Amino acid sequence: MAFLPNRSVAATPAPLPAETSGVIELDLRALPMPEPMERALAGAEALAPGGTLSVLTPWMPLPLLEVLAERGLQASAEALPDQGARVWIRRPDPHGPADD
């Protein structure tokens, strides 16, 4: 599964996980601020090692990407054509494959 380095924002669409059957998706675009960031962080904290979360936000969440990087999570983001962004969040698995 390929991700952009921590704290990056993709100018082109971010690479999607190769296997998406176990990905949890949260659509937070209709929530008032600061709920999208709070819920995205709560979802990220609940991820098991190797787990992936897809979050739809109403904006390009640069502060969220910084916090995720500080917490040791992998993240990439892509702008959506209809406004907002999709953020892929992954908790590395220290016992998983070397490409984590």
Side-chain angles (χ1 to χ4, degrees), residues 20-65:
T20 59
S21 64
V23 174
I24 299 165
E25 183 171 279
L26 298 177
D27 187 344
L28 308 176
R29 293 176 289 186
L31 298 176
M33 300 298 178
E35 285 187 59
M37 184 160 176
E38 293 171 345
R39 291 192 187 193
L41 289 172
E45 287 302 316
L47 284 173
T52 301
L53 174 65
S54 170
V55 179
L56 300 173
T57 63
W59 34 261
M60 184 57 75
L62 298 178
L64 174 62
L65 295 175

Side-chain angles (χ1 to χ4, degrees):
M1 189 177 305
F3 280 85
L4 298 176
N6 286 341
R7 300 178 58 150
S8 68
V9 178
T12 58
L16 301 179
E19 201 270 282
T20 59
S21 64
V23 174
I24 299 165
E25 183 171 279
L26 298 177
D27 187 344
L28 308 176
R29 293 176 289 186
L31 298 176
M33 300 298 178
E35 285 187 59
M37 184 160 176
E38 293 171 345
R39 291 192 187 193
L41 289 172
E45 287 302 316
L47 284 173
T52 301
L53 174 65
S54 170
V55 179
L56 300 173
T57 63
W59 34 261
M60 184 57 75
L62 298 178
L64 174 62
L65 295 175
E66 290 179 13
V67 172
L68 293 169
E70 290 169 3
R71 295 182 181 187
L73 297 162
Q74 298 170 332
S76 63
E78 63 181 311
L80 298 176
D82 61 344
Q83 292 189 321
R86 176 182 301 275
V87 181
W88 292 99
I89 304 168
R90 185 166 184 279
R91 180 173 300 282
D93 184 352
H95 305 293
D99 66 304
D100 275 359

